[in-house]
């Protein structure tokens, strides 16, 4: 009997030895649906790369940004892979905080990455992050409600039309909001949406001399419109709702309209995830005075901090999670509407994706038409559609987001909120030497 158990025990010992030798990388990411899917496929990565184990840190968006910024600025070394975006990549690369991804394997097919997305994650011609998914913004609406009300969606809706439709469709007695929009404060939460609203109302964050314009007539009009629209026709507690909260509301049937990221389309069109999958329509993000900057450009991407001591293993994970093979894996195991959108030409050429995702061509056009170098009616000195590509914007955007949220809850008036935002932003820019 002793001899009979020798081989199984030997095999078990070998397995433990392999596990002990495996290198563990820590991946920090946001708790969005696409990243939750990535985490669920960890075993597929570890089976293909038995020498690497993955430890996950999954956080809400605002918390993730705070943790990562603190860690990388202090050379903390807690993470080997960071989920960052189009805002951070060039700024952090310039400061030497990220590893340049200049030696990607040929099989990765870097040229397959969509050019606007690739450019947004580059600095001085080098990629510093690989796009996991990318997005613009769009208007989602309930086709059944529009048909019942006799509303026909035009090719390009205006914000004035959206307000009229929201008023007509708002039905709080039946837990239906006329419209859902981001209200949760944060430079990447409410201000991502609000910045595009201000853009299309003809406003800008700064003039060409870097003077803030947050108390300008365009900002007053845009924020007044936003507070009135969401206050009258939004869901209860709108000031606490970010992307994930509104996605849950819309997918449950609690919103007649929602303007937000194109990346939500896959989940909303998936009958297993959405109660409105069979009555979902989409249109371009609404416009007001100008179409410039009405829809954003963003990429959630994976980067390697220079402080990581496991850069080779980290790059192995990066190239796997952003590869054509990963997209195929998600399509085959989770369904083609669940693949990470917006990153590769090959995704949009894939017949399976074209067949299952009616929004595919629309999203591709929205991403390709967003121009971070020309997003405001009047000239501006910054790059970015829904953000300002300077290091100070992270704190400025979050502070302004808090004042906008205060106006939304009625704690302060719109005019006072914008005066407060103007003064705080002017102080920050003055201290920064602009």
């Amino acid at each position: 009997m002793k001899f009979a158990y020798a081989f199984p025990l030997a095999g078990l010992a070998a397995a433990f030895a392999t596990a002990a030798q495996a290198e563990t990388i820590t991946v920090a990411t946001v708790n969005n649906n696409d990243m939750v899917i990535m985490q669920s496929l960890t075993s597929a990565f570890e089976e293909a790369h038995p020498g690497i184990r993955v430890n996950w840190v999954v956080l809400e968006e605002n918390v993730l940004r705070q943790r990562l910024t603190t860690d990388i600025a202090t050379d903390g070394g807690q993470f080997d892979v960071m989920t960052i975006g189009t805002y951070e990549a060039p700024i952090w690369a310039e400061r030497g905080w990220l590893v340049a991804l200049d030696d990607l394997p040929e099989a990765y097919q870097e040229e397959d990455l969509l050019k606007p997305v690739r450019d947004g994650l580059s600095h001085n011609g080098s990629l510093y992050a690989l796009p996991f998914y990318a997005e613009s913004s769009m208007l989602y609406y309930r086709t059944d409600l529009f048909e019942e009300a006799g509303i026909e969606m035009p090719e390009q809706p205006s914000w004035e039309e959206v307000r009229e439709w929201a008023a007509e469709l708002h039905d709080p007695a039946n837990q239906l909001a006329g419209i859902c929009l981001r209200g949760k404060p944060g430079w990447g939460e409410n201000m991502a949406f609000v910045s595009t609203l201000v853009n299309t109302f003809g406003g800008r964050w700064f003039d060409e001399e870097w003077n803030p314009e947050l108390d300008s007539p365009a900002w007053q009009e845009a924020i007044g419109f936003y507070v009135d629209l969401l206050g009258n026709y939004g869901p209860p507690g709108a000031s606490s709702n970010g992307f994930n909260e509104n996605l849950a509301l819309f997918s449950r049937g609690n919103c007649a309209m929602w303007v937000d990221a194109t990346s939500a389309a896959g989940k909303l069109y998936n009958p297993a995830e959405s109660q409105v999958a069979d009555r979902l329509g989409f249109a371009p993000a609404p416009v007001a005075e100008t179409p410039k900057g009405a829809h954003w450009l963003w990429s959630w991407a994976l980067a390697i901090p220079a402080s990581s001591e496991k850069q080779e293993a980290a790059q192995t994970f990066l190239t796997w999670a952003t590869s054509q093979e990963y997209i195929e894996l998600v399509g085959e195991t989770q369904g083609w509407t669940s693949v990470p959108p917006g990153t590769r030409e090959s995704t949009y050429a894939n017949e399976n994706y074209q067949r299952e995702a009616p929004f595919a061509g629309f999203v591709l056009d929205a991403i390709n038409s967003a121009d971070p170098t020309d997003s405001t009616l009047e000239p501006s000195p910054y790059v970015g559609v829904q953000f300002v590509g300077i290091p100070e914007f992270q704190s400025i955007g979050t502070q302004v987001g808090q004042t906008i949220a205060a106006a939304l809850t009625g704690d302060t008036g719109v005019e006072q909120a914008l005066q407060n935002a103007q003064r705080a932003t002017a102080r920050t820019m003055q201290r920064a030497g602009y």
Side-chain angles (χ1 to χ4, degrees):
M1 289 296 293
K2 189 175 181 180
F3 180 76
Y5 281 96
F7 285 105
L9 287 173
L12 192 61
F16 277 125
T18 300
Q21 293 167 4
E23 193 169 27
T24 298
I25 58 171
T26 298
V27 179
T29 196
V30 65
N31 64 341
N32 290 351
N33 185 61
D34 291 279
M35 282 70 172
V36 172
I37 291 174
M38 174 171 59
Q39 186 183 10
S40 75
L41 294 171
T42 303
S43 59
F45 171 77
E46 292 180 346
E47 286 168 13
H49 305 89
I52 304 173
R53 293 288 177 268
V54 182
N55 173 47
W56 291 92
V57 177
V58 183
L59 301 167
E60 185 270 333
E61 183 172 321
N62 288 338
V63 178
L64 175 80
R65 287 188 162 121
Q66 291 167 359
R67 284 276 300 275
L68 296 190
T69 303
T70 300
D71 185 75
I72 203 161
T74 59
D75 202 28
Q78 291 183 54
F79 309 107
D80 303 297
V81 176
M82 291 182 165
T83 303
I84 64 171
T86 313
Y87 167 73
E88 294 96 345
I91 293 173
W92 291 6
E94 185 176 18
R95 294 184 169 191
W97 291 350
L98 301 176
V99 175
L101 303 171
D102 292 327
D103 57 346
L104 296 171
E106 188 176 344
Y108 182 74
Q109 299 188 42
E110 181 183 335
E111 71 284 351
D112 185 44
L113 298 174
L114 296 177
K115 188 177 186 301
V117 177
R118 190 171 68 237
D119 289 349
L121 299 173
S122 298
H123 176 66
N124 287 342
S126 291
L127 264 173
Y128 281 87
L130 300 181
F132 182 67
Y133 74 77
E135 62 187 29
S136 186
S137 53
M138 64 199 286
L139 167 63
Y140 301 98
Y141 66 97
R142 288 270 300 279
T143 55
D144 57 331
L145 298 176
F146 270 60
E147 288 168 10
E148 288 168 14
I151 303 169
E152 188 172 334
M153 178 63 71
E155 189 172 327
Q156 173 59 71
S158 71
W159 274 111
E160 194 53 50
E161 288 172 321
V162 166
R163 176 159 57 185
E164 292 171 6
W165 301 334
E168 187 168 355
L169 299 174
H170 190 57
D171 186 7
N174 290 301
Q175 297 184 309
L176 177 69
I179 190 163
C180 291
L181 299 169
R182 297 188 188 190
K184 179 189 289 186
W187 72 264
E189 280 283 10
N190 64 343
M191 294 316 296
F193 167 75
V194 167
S195 293
T196 62
L197 185 69
V198 169
N199 290 341
T200 194
F201 270 81
R204 56 187 175 174
W205 278 86
F206 300 97
D207 68 16
E208 291 183 279
E209 303 301 319
W210 290 103
N211 298 304
E213 292 201 338
L214 279 77
D215 57 357
S216 67
W219 272 83
Q220 297 274 1
E221 186 180 2
I223 303 309
F225 178 90
Y226 166 75
V227 168
D228 175 74
L229 178 65
L230 203 50
N232 287 324
Y233 312 119
S239 62
S240 299
N241 295 340
F243 170 77
N244 283 324
E245 291 82 6
N246 283 320
L247 175 59
L249 285 169
F250 194 94
S251 63
R252 289 199 303 263
N254 298 124
C255 310
M257 293 179 285
W258 180 34
V259 180
D260 213 298
T262 58
S263 58
K267 189 175 177 68
L268 292 176
Y269 268 98
N270 184 346
E273 303 271 2
S274 169
Q275 297 176 32
V276 298
D278 60 344
R279 10 183 195 145
L280 178 62
F282 56 87
V287 299
E289 299 299 319
T290 175
K292 279 191 174 185
H295 61 278
W296 68 62
L297 178 65
W298 180 257
S299 173
W300 277 117
L302 303 177
I304 305 170
S307 56
S308 170
E309 296 179 354
K310 303 168 184 176
Q311 295 179 11
E312 186 176 345
Q315 182 162 317
T316 299
F317 178 81
L318 255 65
T319 53
W320 172 81
T322 61
S323 65
Q324 289 185 30
E325 289 74 21
Y326 176 83
I327 289 170
E328 291 277 348
L329 175 65
V330 175
E332 291 166 4
T333 60
Q334 312 292 317
W336 283 95
T337 58
S338 296
V339 304
T343 60
R344 288 184 171 271
E345 299 278 2
S346 55
T347 301
Y348 293 89
N350 187 301
E351 292 181 0
N352 293 313
Y353 190 61
Q354 290 176 355
R355 183 176 61 252
E356 300 295 329
F359 50 84
F362 178 92
V363 171
L364 182 62
D365 289 343
I367 289 172
N368 283 330
S369 64
D371 187 356
T373 65
D374 186 20
S375 63
T376 54
L377 183 61
E378 298 295 325
S380 61
Y382 53 86
V383 173
V385 182
Q386 79 282 21
F387 61 82
V388 177
I390 58 174
E392 294 76 18
F393 183 73
Q394 185 162 351
S395 61
I396 288 172
T398 295
Q399 190 168 21
V400 174
Q402 290 165 349
T403 66
I404 301 299
L408 185 59
T409 59
D411 290 343
T412 185
V414 169
E415 186 175 357
Q416 185 62 52
L418 291 177
Q419 287 175 358
N420 294 343
Q422 173 76 8
R423 285 195 295 269
T425 302
R427 282 197 301 270
T428 300
M429 295 298 282
Q430 189 172 21
R431 283 198 300 265
Y434 284 86

